[in-house]
mmCIF file of all heavy atoms in Angstrom:
data_model
loop_
_atom_site.group_PDB
_atom_site.id
_atom_site.type_symbol
_atom_site.label_atom_id
_atom_site.label_comp_id
_atom_site.label_asym_id
_atom_site.label_seq_id
_atom_site.Cartn_x
_atom_site.Cartn_y
_atom_site.Cartn_z
ATOM 1 N N MET Z 10 -3.603 -0.314 -12.232
ATOM 2 C CA MET Z 10 -3.900 -0.585 -10.824
ATOM 3 C C MET Z 10 -2.907 0.195 -9.919
ATOM 4 O O MET Z 10 -1.746 0.284 -10.296
ATOM 5 C CB MET Z 10 -3.816 -2.073 -10.505
ATOM 6 C CG MET Z 10 -4.762 -2.967 -11.304
ATOM 7 S SD MET Z 10 -6.443 -2.857 -10.751
ATOM 8 C CE MET Z 10 -6.423 -4.064 -9.419
ATOM 9 N N LYS Z 11 -3.469 0.673 -8.823
ATOM 10 C CA LYS Z 11 -2.615 1.417 -7.913
ATOM 11 C C LYS Z 11 -3.082 1.128 -6.480
ATOM 12 O O LYS Z 11 -4.261 0.755 -6.280
ATOM 13 C CB LYS Z 11 -2.805 2.916 -8.184
ATOM 14 C CG LYS Z 11 -1.865 3.892 -7.491
ATOM 15 C CD LYS Z 11 -2.037 5.291 -8.071
ATOM 16 C CE LYS Z 11 -1.160 6.281 -7.383
ATOM 17 N NZ LYS Z 11 -1.579 6.586 -6.007
ATOM 18 N N GLY Z 12 -2.149 1.258 -5.533
ATOM 19 C CA GLY Z 12 -2.484 1.057 -4.134
ATOM 20 C C GLY Z 12 -2.886 2.361 -3.513
ATOM 21 O O GLY Z 12 -2.277 3.432 -3.809
ATOM 22 N N TYR Z 13 -3.907 2.327 -2.645
ATOM 23 C CA TYR Z 13 -4.340 3.501 -1.945
ATOM 24 C C TYR Z 13 -4.365 3.201 -0.454
ATOM 25 O O TYR Z 13 -4.708 2.057 -0.046
ATOM 26 C CB TYR Z 13 -5.799 3.881 -2.382
ATOM 27 C CG TYR Z 13 -5.849 4.297 -3.830
ATOM 28 C CD1 TYR Z 13 -5.977 3.347 -4.838
ATOM 29 C CD2 TYR Z 13 -5.701 5.634 -4.195
ATOM 30 C CE1 TYR Z 13 -6.016 3.693 -6.168
ATOM 31 C CE2 TYR Z 13 -5.738 6.011 -5.527
ATOM 32 C CZ TYR Z 13 -5.882 5.021 -6.523
ATOM 33 O OH TYR Z 13 -5.937 5.397 -7.851
ATOM 34 N N VAL Z 14 -4.003 4.201 0.363
ATOM 35 C CA VAL Z 14 -3.989 4.047 1.814
ATOM 36 C C VAL Z 14 -4.960 5.075 2.432
ATOM 37 O O VAL Z 14 -4.837 6.278 2.145
ATOM 38 C CB VAL Z 14 -2.562 4.244 2.367
ATOM 39 C CG1 VAL Z 14 -2.554 4.232 3.871
ATOM 40 C CG2 VAL Z 14 -1.588 3.192 1.808
ATOM 41 N N ASP Z 15 -5.800 4.586 3.287
ATOM 42 C CA ASP Z 15 -6.673 5.488 4.062
ATOM 43 C C ASP Z 15 -5.826 5.949 5.288
ATOM 44 O O ASP Z 15 -5.621 5.218 6.206
ATOM 45 C CB ASP Z 15 -7.908 4.754 4.525
ATOM 46 C CG ASP Z 15 -8.846 5.661 5.283
ATOM 47 O OD1 ASP Z 15 -8.434 6.716 5.794
ATOM 48 O OD2 ASP Z 15 -10.040 5.338 5.409
ATOM 49 N N LYS Z 16 -5.329 7.174 5.211
ATOM 50 C CA LYS Z 16 -4.372 7.677 6.197
ATOM 51 C C LYS Z 16 -5.084 7.865 7.554
ATOM 52 O O LYS Z 16 -4.419 8.024 8.579
ATOM 53 C CB LYS Z 16 -3.683 8.942 5.742
ATOM 54 C CG LYS Z 16 -2.720 8.660 4.594
ATOM 55 C CD LYS Z 16 -1.813 9.846 4.298
ATOM 56 C CE LYS Z 16 -0.832 9.495 3.168
ATOM 57 N NZ LYS Z 16 0.558 9.771 3.535
ATOM 58 N N ASP Z 17 -6.391 7.925 7.567
ATOM 59 C CA ASP Z 17 -7.091 8.018 8.834
ATOM 60 C C ASP Z 17 -7.002 6.686 9.623
ATOM 61 O O ASP Z 17 -7.245 6.662 10.828
ATOM 62 C CB ASP Z 17 -8.566 8.361 8.599
ATOM 63 C CG ASP Z 17 -8.720 9.796 8.119
ATOM 64 O OD1 ASP Z 17 -7.870 10.614 8.390
ATOM 65 O OD2 ASP Z 17 -9.748 10.070 7.465
ATOM 66 N N LEU Z 18 -6.757 5.641 8.900
ATOM 67 C CA LEU Z 18 -6.655 4.272 9.545
ATOM 68 C C LEU Z 18 -5.204 3.804 9.768
ATOM 69 O O LEU Z 18 -4.953 3.072 10.729
ATOM 70 C CB LEU Z 18 -7.352 3.240 8.635
ATOM 71 C CG LEU Z 18 -8.887 3.437 8.450
ATOM 72 C CD1 LEU Z 18 -9.456 2.343 7.512
ATOM 73 C CD2 LEU Z 18 -9.621 3.407 9.759
ATOM 74 N N CYS Z 19 -4.300 4.173 8.869
ATOM 75 C CA CYS Z 19 -2.915 3.719 8.927
ATOM 76 C C CYS Z 19 -2.298 3.957 10.296
ATOM 77 O O CYS Z 19 -2.396 5.049 10.841
ATOM 78 C CB CYS Z 19 -2.124 4.369 7.848
ATOM 79 S SG CYS Z 19 -0.363 3.923 7.848
ATOM 80 N N VAL Z 20 -1.627 2.925 10.885
ATOM 81 C CA VAL Z 20 -0.925 3.060 12.137
ATOM 82 C C VAL Z 20 0.612 3.027 11.935
ATOM 83 O O VAL Z 20 1.350 2.812 12.892
ATOM 84 C CB VAL Z 20 -1.375 1.991 13.150
ATOM 85 C CG1 VAL Z 20 -2.855 2.217 13.527
ATOM 86 C CG2 VAL Z 20 -1.179 0.565 12.569
ATOM 87 N N ALA Z 21 1.031 3.215 10.668
ATOM 88 C CA ALA Z 21 2.427 3.367 10.387
ATOM 89 C C ALA Z 21 3.315 2.201 10.783
ATOM 90 O O ALA Z 21 4.448 2.352 11.222
ATOM 91 C CB ALA Z 21 2.989 4.654 11.022
ATOM 92 N N CYS Z 22 2.786 0.979 10.636
ATOM 93 C CA CYS Z 22 3.555 -0.195 11.010
ATOM 94 C C CYS Z 22 4.690 -0.478 10.000
ATOM 95 O O CYS Z 22 5.625 -1.172 10.277
ATOM 96 C CB CYS Z 22 2.655 -1.424 11.154
ATOM 97 S SG CYS Z 22 2.041 -2.087 9.569
ATOM 98 N N GLY Z 23 4.537 0.018 8.786
ATOM 99 C CA GLY Z 23 5.556 -0.153 7.762
ATOM 100 C C GLY Z 23 5.533 -1.434 7.016
ATOM 101 O O GLY Z 23 6.343 -1.678 6.089
ATOM 102 N N MET Z 24 4.579 -2.333 7.286
ATOM 103 C CA MET Z 24 4.535 -3.589 6.645
ATOM 104 C C MET Z 24 4.354 -3.493 5.112
ATOM 105 O O MET Z 24 5.054 -4.154 4.372
ATOM 106 C CB MET Z 24 3.381 -4.472 7.218
ATOM 107 C CG MET Z 24 3.246 -5.854 6.699
ATOM 108 S SD MET Z 24 2.353 -5.983 5.132
ATOM 109 C CE MET Z 24 0.705 -5.612 5.648
ATOM 110 N N CYS Z 25 3.440 -2.636 4.692
ATOM 111 C CA CYS Z 25 3.136 -2.574 3.248
ATOM 112 C C CYS Z 25 4.375 -2.068 2.452
ATOM 113 O O CYS Z 25 4.673 -2.638 1.413
ATOM 114 C CB CYS Z 25 1.956 -1.719 2.965
ATOM 115 S SG CYS Z 25 2.054 -0.054 3.643
ATOM 116 N N ALA Z 26 5.049 -1.078 3.010
ATOM 117 C CA ALA Z 26 6.235 -0.535 2.294
ATOM 118 C C ALA Z 26 7.326 -1.571 2.289
ATOM 119 O O ALA Z 26 8.090 -1.607 1.336
ATOM 120 C CB ALA Z 26 6.676 0.731 2.972
ATOM 121 N N GLY Z 27 7.446 -2.408 3.294
ATOM 122 C CA GLY Z 27 8.496 -3.424 3.357
ATOM 123 C C GLY Z 27 8.186 -4.548 2.404
ATOM 124 O O GLY Z 27 9.069 -5.055 1.713
ATOM 125 N N ALA Z 28 6.912 -4.979 2.359
ATOM 126 C CA ALA Z 28 6.534 -6.143 1.583
ATOM 127 C C ALA Z 28 6.234 -5.828 0.117
ATOM 128 O O ALA Z 28 6.308 -6.721 -0.756
ATOM 129 C CB ALA Z 28 5.330 -6.832 2.199
ATOM 130 N N CYS Z 29 5.898 -4.617 -0.179
ATOM 131 C CA CYS Z 29 5.588 -4.220 -1.572
ATOM 132 C C CYS Z 29 6.095 -2.831 -1.818
ATOM 133 O O CYS Z 29 5.364 -1.895 -2.039
ATOM 134 C CB CYS Z 29 4.073 -4.308 -1.786
ATOM 135 S SG CYS Z 29 3.566 -3.967 -3.518
ATOM 136 N N PRO Z 30 7.452 -2.726 -1.864
ATOM 137 C CA PRO Z 30 8.047 -1.397 -2.039
ATOM 138 C C PRO Z 30 7.787 -0.747 -3.381
ATOM 139 O O PRO Z 30 7.938 0.475 -3.528
ATOM 140 C CB PRO Z 30 9.520 -1.640 -1.848
ATOM 141 C CG PRO Z 30 9.721 -3.062 -2.163
ATOM 142 C CD PRO Z 30 8.469 -3.762 -1.711
ATOM 143 N N GLU Z 31 7.362 -1.518 -4.356
ATOM 144 C CA GLU Z 31 7.050 -0.947 -5.657
ATOM 145 C C GLU Z 31 5.688 -0.258 -5.682
ATOM 146 O O GLU Z 31 5.347 0.462 -6.583
ATOM 147 C CB GLU Z 31 7.121 -1.999 -6.783
ATOM 148 C CG GLU Z 31 8.545 -2.434 -7.018
ATOM 149 C CD GLU Z 31 8.600 -3.628 -8.013
ATOM 150 O OE1 GLU Z 31 8.040 -4.661 -7.670
ATOM 151 O OE2 GLU Z 31 9.193 -3.478 -9.102
ATOM 152 N N GLY Z 32 4.907 -0.571 -4.625
ATOM 153 C CA GLY Z 32 3.573 0.035 -4.584
ATOM 154 C C GLY Z 32 3.340 0.995 -3.445
ATOM 155 O O GLY Z 32 2.526 1.930 -3.564
ATOM 156 N N PHE Z 33 4.109 0.836 -2.373
ATOM 157 C CA PHE Z 33 3.818 1.609 -1.163
ATOM 158 C C PHE Z 33 5.152 2.153 -0.617
ATOM 159 O O PHE Z 33 6.199 1.494 -0.662
ATOM 160 C CB PHE Z 33 3.144 0.747 -0.069
ATOM 161 C CG PHE Z 33 1.847 0.216 -0.584
ATOM 162 C CD1 PHE Z 33 1.751 -1.027 -1.211
ATOM 163 C CD2 PHE Z 33 0.683 0.987 -0.440
ATOM 164 C CE1 PHE Z 33 0.550 -1.506 -1.696
ATOM 165 C CE2 PHE Z 33 -0.538 0.471 -0.904
ATOM 166 C CZ PHE Z 33 -0.595 -0.777 -1.533
ATOM 167 N N ARG Z 34 5.087 3.309 -0.008
ATOM 168 C CA ARG Z 34 6.208 3.875 0.717
ATOM 169 C C ARG Z 34 5.697 4.659 1.890
ATOM 170 O O ARG Z 34 4.460 4.960 1.966
ATOM 171 C CB ARG Z 34 7.002 4.816 -0.176
ATOM 172 C CG ARG Z 34 6.199 6.058 -0.602
ATOM 173 C CD ARG Z 34 6.979 6.887 -1.610
ATOM 174 N NE ARG Z 34 6.170 8.033 -2.069
ATOM 175 C CZ ARG Z 34 6.459 8.797 -3.097
ATOM 176 N NH1 ARG Z 34 7.540 8.558 -3.838
ATOM 177 N NH2 ARG Z 34 5.669 9.806 -3.440
ATOM 178 N N MET Z 35 6.609 4.974 2.827
ATOM 179 C CA MET Z 35 6.216 5.755 3.996
ATOM 180 C C MET Z 35 6.398 7.225 3.602
ATOM 181 O O MET Z 35 7.508 7.661 3.141
ATOM 182 C CB MET Z 35 7.042 5.441 5.205
ATOM 183 C CG MET Z 35 6.982 3.924 5.588
ATOM 184 S SD MET Z 35 5.287 3.221 5.703
ATOM 185 C CE MET Z 35 4.753 3.972 7.216
ATOM 186 N N GLY Z 36 5.356 8.010 3.732
ATOM 187 C CA GLY Z 36 5.409 9.410 3.284
ATOM 188 C C GLY Z 36 6.051 10.324 4.336
ATOM 189 O O GLY Z 36 6.414 9.899 5.429
ATOM 190 N N ALA Z 37 6.207 11.563 3.971
ATOM 191 C CA ALA Z 37 6.814 12.535 4.855
ATOM 192 C C ALA Z 37 6.040 12.716 6.164
ATOM 193 O O ALA Z 37 6.580 13.128 7.188
ATOM 194 C CB ALA Z 37 6.912 13.887 4.122
ATOM 195 N N ASP Z 38 4.750 12.416 6.128
ATOM 196 C CA ASP Z 38 3.904 12.483 7.333
ATOM 197 C C ASP Z 38 4.037 11.244 8.190
ATOM 198 O O ASP Z 38 3.358 11.126 9.224
ATOM 199 C CB ASP Z 38 2.438 12.740 6.953
ATOM 200 C CG ASP Z 38 1.913 11.673 6.033
ATOM 201 O OD1 ASP Z 38 2.604 10.640 5.754
ATOM 202 O OD2 ASP Z 38 0.733 11.796 5.603
ATOM 203 N N GLY Z 39 4.880 10.276 7.787
ATOM 204 C CA GLY Z 39 5.117 9.098 8.591
ATOM 205 C C GLY Z 39 4.122 7.999 8.328
ATOM 206 O O GLY Z 39 4.233 6.875 8.881
ATOM 207 N N LEU Z 40 3.161 8.253 7.474
ATOM 208 C CA LEU Z 40 2.120 7.262 7.119
ATOM 209 C C LEU Z 40 2.385 6.707 5.734
ATOM 210 O O LEU Z 40 3.054 7.315 4.928
ATOM 211 C CB LEU Z 40 0.738 7.903 7.182
ATOM 212 C CG LEU Z 40 0.347 8.520 8.552
ATOM 213 C CD1 LEU Z 40 -0.971 9.253 8.435
ATOM 214 C CD2 LEU Z 40 0.281 7.437 9.648
ATOM 215 N N ALA Z 41 1.832 5.511 5.498
ATOM 216 C CA ALA Z 41 2.025 4.863 4.221
ATOM 217 C C ALA Z 41 1.216 5.575 3.100
ATOM 218 O O ALA Z 41 0.183 6.225 3.386
ATOM 219 C CB ALA Z 41 1.626 3.415 4.262
ATOM 220 N N GLU Z 42 1.714 5.411 1.880
ATOM 221 C CA GLU Z 42 0.956 5.891 0.744
ATOM 222 C C GLU Z 42 1.267 5.027 -0.458
ATOM 223 O O GLU Z 42 2.359 4.450 -0.602
ATOM 224 C CB GLU Z 42 1.343 7.353 0.461
ATOM 225 C CG GLU Z 42 2.839 7.557 0.149
ATOM 226 C CD GLU Z 42 3.252 8.997 0.138
ATOM 227 O OE1 GLU Z 42 2.520 9.857 0.658
ATOM 228 O OE2 GLU Z 42 4.315 9.308 -0.375
ATOM 229 N N GLY Z 43 0.299 4.883 -1.356
ATOM 230 C CA GLY Z 43 0.534 4.299 -2.671
ATOM 231 C C GLY Z 43 1.079 5.441 -3.504
ATOM 232 O O GLY Z 43 0.624 6.556 -3.465
ATOM 233 N N TYR Z 44 2.127 5.156 -4.269
ATOM 234 C CA TYR Z 44 2.805 6.264 -4.896
ATOM 235 C C TYR Z 44 3.009 6.129 -6.432
ATOM 236 O O TYR Z 44 3.480 7.033 -7.076
ATOM 237 C CB TYR Z 44 4.159 6.524 -4.227
ATOM 238 C CG TYR Z 44 5.205 5.471 -4.487
ATOM 239 C CD1 TYR Z 44 6.190 5.625 -5.444
ATOM 240 C CD2 TYR Z 44 5.220 4.307 -3.731
ATOM 241 C CE1 TYR Z 44 7.160 4.664 -5.659
ATOM 242 C CE2 TYR Z 44 6.175 3.316 -3.936
ATOM 243 C CZ TYR Z 44 7.128 3.501 -4.903
ATOM 244 O OH TYR Z 44 8.062 2.537 -5.120
ATOM 245 N N GLN Z 45 2.658 4.981 -6.946
ATOM 246 C CA GLN Z 45 2.794 4.866 -8.409
ATOM 247 C C GLN Z 45 1.902 3.780 -8.933
ATOM 248 O O GLN Z 45 1.428 2.914 -8.194
ATOM 249 C CB GLN Z 45 4.256 4.598 -8.785
ATOM 250 C CG GLN Z 45 4.747 3.218 -8.309
ATOM 251 C CD GLN Z 45 6.151 2.908 -8.862
ATOM 252 O OE1 GLN Z 45 6.720 3.650 -9.666
ATOM 253 N NE2 GLN Z 45 6.648 1.750 -8.458
ATOM 254 N N GLU Z 46 1.651 3.794 -10.237
ATOM 255 C CA GLU Z 46 0.956 2.728 -10.862
ATOM 256 C C GLU Z 46 1.731 1.425 -10.625
ATOM 257 O O GLU Z 46 2.979 1.382 -10.716
ATOM 258 C CB GLU Z 46 0.909 3.022 -12.392
ATOM 259 C CG GLU Z 46 -0.110 2.219 -13.186
ATOM 260 C CD GLU Z 46 -1.560 2.563 -12.861
ATOM 261 O OE1 GLU Z 46 -1.843 3.653 -12.301
ATOM 262 O OE2 GLU Z 46 -2.445 1.734 -13.168
ATOM 263 N N LEU Z 47 1.016 0.424 -10.187
ATOM 264 C CA LEU Z 47 1.685 -0.858 -9.827
ATOM 265 C C LEU Z 47 2.234 -1.588 -11.063
ATOM 266 O O LEU Z 47 1.499 -1.852 -12.024
ATOM 267 C CB LEU Z 47 0.725 -1.782 -9.176
ATOM 268 C CG LEU Z 47 0.340 -1.407 -7.746
ATOM 269 C CD1 LEU Z 47 -0.947 -2.101 -7.311
ATOM 270 C CD2 LEU Z 47 1.447 -1.748 -6.776
ATOM 271 N N PRO Z 48 3.542 -1.885 -11.026
ATOM 272 C CA PRO Z 48 4.085 -2.756 -12.097
ATOM 273 C C PRO Z 48 3.361 -4.101 -12.013
ATOM 274 O O PRO Z 48 3.024 -4.524 -10.899
ATOM 275 C CB PRO Z 48 5.564 -2.896 -11.704
ATOM 276 C CG PRO Z 48 5.872 -1.822 -10.696
ATOM 277 C CD PRO Z 48 4.567 -1.484 -10.034
ATOM 278 N N GLU Z 49 3.209 -4.731 -13.172
ATOM 279 C CA GLU Z 49 2.491 -5.995 -13.230
ATOM 280 C C GLU Z 49 3.049 -6.996 -12.195
ATOM 281 O O GLU Z 49 2.334 -7.698 -11.474
ATOM 282 C CB GLU Z 49 2.577 -6.568 -14.622
ATOM 283 C CG GLU Z 49 1.832 -7.834 -14.881
ATOM 284 C CD GLU Z 49 0.310 -7.600 -14.905
ATOM 285 O OE1 GLU Z 49 -0.123 -6.534 -15.288
ATOM 286 O OE2 GLU Z 49 -0.456 -8.533 -14.481
ATOM 287 N N ALA Z 50 4.358 -7.042 -12.073
ATOM 288 C CA ALA Z 50 5.055 -8.008 -11.201
ATOM 289 C C ALA Z 50 4.770 -7.754 -9.721
ATOM 290 O O ALA Z 50 5.010 -8.614 -8.897
ATOM 291 C CB ALA Z 50 6.543 -8.002 -11.480
ATOM 292 N N ALA Z 51 4.285 -6.570 -9.372
ATOM 293 C CA ALA Z 51 4.066 -6.192 -7.988
ATOM 294 C C ALA Z 51 2.633 -6.345 -7.578
ATOM 295 O O ALA Z 51 2.271 -6.167 -6.407
ATOM 296 C CB ALA Z 51 4.553 -4.763 -7.706
ATOM 297 N N LEU Z 52 1.745 -6.668 -8.515
ATOM 298 C CA LEU Z 52 0.307 -6.683 -8.235
ATOM 299 C C LEU Z 52 -0.045 -7.729 -7.162
ATOM 300 O O LEU Z 52 -0.820 -7.421 -6.255
ATOM 301 C CB LEU Z 52 -0.428 -6.919 -9.533
ATOM 302 C CG LEU Z 52 -1.950 -6.865 -9.462
ATOM 303 C CD1 LEU Z 52 -2.422 -5.503 -8.873
ATOM 304 C CD2 LEU Z 52 -2.583 -7.025 -10.844
ATOM 305 N N ASP Z 53 0.487 -8.931 -7.266
ATOM 306 C CA ASP Z 53 0.171 -9.983 -6.268
ATOM 307 C C ASP Z 53 0.627 -9.504 -4.882
ATOM 308 O O ASP Z 53 -0.146 -9.682 -3.897
ATOM 309 C CB ASP Z 53 0.868 -11.260 -6.628
ATOM 310 C CG ASP Z 53 0.131 -11.995 -7.776
ATOM 311 O OD1 ASP Z 53 -0.966 -11.543 -8.109
ATOM 312 O OD2 ASP Z 53 0.668 -13.011 -8.263
ATOM 313 N N ASP Z 54 1.789 -8.906 -4.758
ATOM 314 C CA ASP Z 54 2.262 -8.428 -3.453
ATOM 315 C C ASP Z 54 1.350 -7.328 -2.953
ATOM 316 O O ASP Z 54 1.059 -7.264 -1.760
ATOM 317 C CB ASP Z 54 3.705 -7.888 -3.583
ATOM 318 C CG ASP Z 54 4.738 -8.979 -3.676
ATOM 319 O OD1 ASP Z 54 4.402 -10.150 -3.428
ATOM 320 O OD2 ASP Z 54 5.884 -8.647 -4.035
ATOM 321 N N ALA Z 55 0.884 -6.464 -3.846
ATOM 322 C CA ALA Z 55 0.007 -5.347 -3.404
ATOM 323 C C ALA Z 55 -1.327 -5.892 -2.904
ATOM 324 O O ALA Z 55 -1.870 -5.418 -1.835
ATOM 325 C CB ALA Z 55 -0.231 -4.391 -4.564
ATOM 326 N N LEU Z 56 -1.838 -6.883 -3.585
ATOM 327 C CA LEU Z 56 -3.143 -7.490 -3.113
ATOM 328 C C LEU Z 56 -2.926 -8.185 -1.784
ATOM 329 O O LEU Z 56 -3.807 -8.175 -0.890
ATOM 330 C CB LEU Z 56 -3.652 -8.463 -4.171
ATOM 331 C CG LEU Z 56 -4.095 -7.797 -5.466
ATOM 332 C CD1 LEU Z 56 -4.368 -8.852 -6.543
ATOM 333 C CD2 LEU Z 56 -5.349 -6.942 -5.254
ATOM 334 N N GLN Z 57 -1.720 -8.799 -1.597
ATOM 335 C CA GLN Z 57 -1.447 -9.436 -0.333
ATOM 336 C C GLN Z 57 -1.337 -8.461 0.819
ATOM 337 O O GLN Z 57 -1.907 -8.702 1.914
ATOM 338 C CB GLN Z 57 -0.144 -10.286 -0.461
ATOM 339 C CG GLN Z 57 0.100 -11.190 0.710
ATOM 340 C CD GLN Z 57 -0.953 -12.296 0.854
ATOM 341 O OE1 GLN Z 57 -1.260 -13.004 -0.099
ATOM 342 N NE2 GLN Z 57 -1.588 -12.408 1.987
ATOM 343 N N VAL Z 58 -0.677 -7.342 0.642
ATOM 344 C CA VAL Z 58 -0.556 -6.391 1.720
ATOM 345 C C VAL Z 58 -1.901 -5.735 2.030
ATOM 346 O O VAL Z 58 -2.187 -5.396 3.179
ATOM 347 C CB VAL Z 58 0.544 -5.302 1.516
ATOM 348 C CG1 VAL Z 58 1.908 -5.970 1.437
ATOM 349 C CG2 VAL Z 58 0.278 -4.423 0.339
ATOM 350 N N ALA Z 59 -2.724 -5.605 0.991
ATOM 351 C CA ALA Z 59 -4.085 -5.093 1.246
ATOM 352 C C ALA Z 59 -4.847 -6.045 2.174
ATOM 353 O O ALA Z 59 -5.592 -5.616 3.041
ATOM 354 C CB ALA Z 59 -4.845 -4.928 -0.081
ATOM 355 N N GLU Z 60 -4.606 -7.320 1.979
ATOM 356 C CA GLU Z 60 -5.277 -8.300 2.829
ATOM 357 C C GLU Z 60 -4.643 -8.334 4.247
ATOM 358 O O GLU Z 60 -5.346 -8.560 5.231
ATOM 359 C CB GLU Z 60 -5.108 -9.680 2.153
ATOM 360 C CG GLU Z 60 -6.054 -10.796 2.673
ATOM 361 C CD GLU Z 60 -5.977 -12.006 1.791
ATOM 362 O OE1 GLU Z 60 -6.168 -11.922 0.575
ATOM 363 O OE2 GLU Z 60 -5.674 -13.103 2.350
ATOM 364 N N ASP Z 61 -3.331 -8.104 4.298
ATOM 365 C CA ASP Z 61 -2.621 -8.273 5.545
ATOM 366 C C ASP Z 61 -2.527 -7.045 6.432
ATOM 367 O O ASP Z 61 -2.168 -7.107 7.587
ATOM 368 C CB ASP Z 61 -1.181 -8.730 5.250
ATOM 369 C CG ASP Z 61 -1.141 -10.178 4.694
ATOM 370 O OD1 ASP Z 61 -2.183 -10.848 4.795
ATOM 371 O OD2 ASP Z 61 -0.100 -10.559 4.162
ATOM 372 N N CYS Z 62 -2.789 -5.849 5.885
ATOM 373 C CA CYS Z 62 -2.713 -4.612 6.670
ATOM 374 C C CYS Z 62 -3.543 -4.781 7.924
ATOM 375 O O CYS Z 62 -4.728 -5.144 7.887
ATOM 376 C CB CYS Z 62 -3.261 -3.442 5.833
ATOM 377 S SG CYS Z 62 -3.437 -1.919 6.819
ATOM 378 N N PRO Z 63 -2.940 -4.550 9.103
ATOM 379 C CA PRO Z 63 -3.636 -4.881 10.370
ATOM 380 C C PRO Z 63 -4.893 -4.024 10.625
ATOM 381 O O PRO Z 63 -5.703 -4.368 11.446
ATOM 382 C CB PRO Z 63 -2.542 -4.566 11.427
ATOM 383 C CG PRO Z 63 -1.577 -3.689 10.744
ATOM 384 C CD PRO Z 63 -1.572 -4.071 9.295
ATOM 385 N N VAL Z 64 -4.992 -2.913 9.912
ATOM 386 C CA VAL Z 64 -6.154 -2.036 10.155
ATOM 387 C C VAL Z 64 -7.035 -1.868 8.898
ATOM 388 O O VAL Z 64 -7.935 -1.068 8.881
ATOM 389 C CB VAL Z 64 -5.691 -0.656 10.664
ATOM 390 C CG1 VAL Z 64 -5.139 -0.787 12.059
ATOM 391 C CG2 VAL Z 64 -4.741 0.019 9.732
ATOM 392 N N GLY Z 65 -6.742 -2.655 7.880
ATOM 393 C CA GLY Z 65 -7.588 -2.678 6.704
ATOM 394 C C GLY Z 65 -7.541 -1.298 5.955
ATOM 395 O O GLY Z 65 -8.589 -0.871 5.362
ATOM 396 N N ALA Z 66 -6.423 -0.666 5.973
ATOM 397 C CA ALA Z 66 -6.320 0.731 5.431
ATOM 398 C C ALA Z 66 -6.038 0.720 3.893
ATOM 399 O O ALA Z 66 -6.085 1.799 3.272
ATOM 400 C CB ALA Z 66 -5.213 1.474 6.102
ATOM 401 N N ILE Z 67 -5.761 -0.435 3.288
ATOM 402 C CA ILE Z 67 -5.258 -0.472 1.918
ATOM 403 C C ILE Z 67 -6.322 -1.007 0.975
ATOM 404 O O ILE Z 67 -6.994 -1.985 1.239
ATOM 405 C CB ILE Z 67 -3.985 -1.389 1.829
ATOM 406 C CG1 ILE Z 67 -2.875 -0.769 2.700
ATOM 407 C CG2 ILE Z 67 -3.542 -1.556 0.361
ATOM 408 C CD1 ILE Z 67 -1.622 -1.681 2.780
ATOM 409 N N SER Z 68 -6.422 -0.325 -0.135
ATOM 410 C CA SER Z 68 -7.226 -0.848 -1.244
ATOM 411 C C SER Z 68 -6.354 -0.783 -2.510
ATOM 412 O O SER Z 68 -5.409 -0.009 -2.619
ATOM 413 C CB SER Z 68 -8.513 -0.067 -1.444
ATOM 414 O OG SER Z 68 -8.257 1.278 -1.668
ATOM 415 N N VAL Z 69 -6.622 -1.705 -3.424
ATOM 416 C CA VAL Z 69 -5.920 -1.740 -4.707
ATOM 417 C C VAL Z 69 -7.006 -1.681 -5.780
ATOM 418 O O VAL Z 69 -7.958 -2.511 -5.782
ATOM 419 C CB VAL Z 69 -5.092 -3.047 -4.824
ATOM 420 C CG1 VAL Z 69 -4.440 -3.115 -6.206
ATOM 421 C CG2 VAL Z 69 -4.053 -3.089 -3.738
ATOM 422 N N ARG Z 70 -6.899 -0.699 -6.613
ATOM 423 C CA ARG Z 70 -7.932 -0.603 -7.696
ATOM 424 C C ARG Z 70 -7.390 0.174 -8.878
ATOM 425 O O ARG Z 70 -6.377 0.801 -8.813
ATOM 426 C CB ARG Z 70 -9.174 0.111 -7.136
ATOM 427 C CG ARG Z 70 -8.920 1.504 -6.588
ATOM 428 C CD ARG Z 70 -10.225 2.052 -5.926
ATOM 429 N NE ARG Z 70 -10.054 3.402 -5.553
ATOM 430 C CZ ARG Z 70 -9.618 3.867 -4.373
ATOM 431 N NH1 ARG Z 70 -9.273 3.017 -3.465
ATOM 432 N NH2 ARG Z 70 -9.505 5.155 -4.152
HETATM 433 S S1 SF4 K 22 0.294 -2.051 6.479
HETATM 434 FE FE1 SF4 K 22 -1.448 -0.695 6.855
HETATM 435 S S2 SF4 K 22 -1.101 0.145 8.893
HETATM 436 FE FE2 SF4 K 22 0.853 -0.678 8.189
HETATM 437 S S3 SF4 K 22 1.934 1.092 7.222
HETATM 438 FE FE3 SF4 K 22 0.770 -0.043 5.591
HETATM 439 S S4 SF4 K 22 -1.259 0.997 5.475
HETATM 440 FE FE4 SF4 K 22 -0.260 1.603 7.400
#
């Protein structure tokens, strides 16, 4: 499982990278990105940020 960010929607609030740093980071373009296969222990956090992203930009699959 990995996190994906629709960069056309992301408003760079930073929430996902703060709440689930093992799954998301802020990229060089200033927008969030999923950057690695999610460690098992980070999966719940990743699903939570997907739910909480203010613009619905995150999917986990
Ligand atoms: S929570 Fe959503 S809007 Fe905020 S940085 Fe992450 S992907 Fe972008």
Side-chain angles (χ1 to χ4, degrees):
M10 301 284 275
K11 189 172 179 288
Y13 295 86
V14 173
D15 183 338
K16 291 191 178 234
D17 290 336
L18 296 177
C19 176
V20 293
C22 73
M24 184 277 290
C25 56
C29 184
E31 289 173 299
F33 301 91
R34 66 185 177 194
M35 304 311 286
D38 58 4
L40 301 173
E42 61 191 16
Y44 69 99
Q45 66 173 357
E46 195 70 17
L47 285 161
E49 185 70 31
L52 187 54
D53 283 351
D54 284 347
L56 293 170
Q57 189 65 51
V58 297
E60 198 170 305
D61 292 346
C62 171
V64 292
I67 297 174
S68 58
V69 177
R70 58 186 189 269

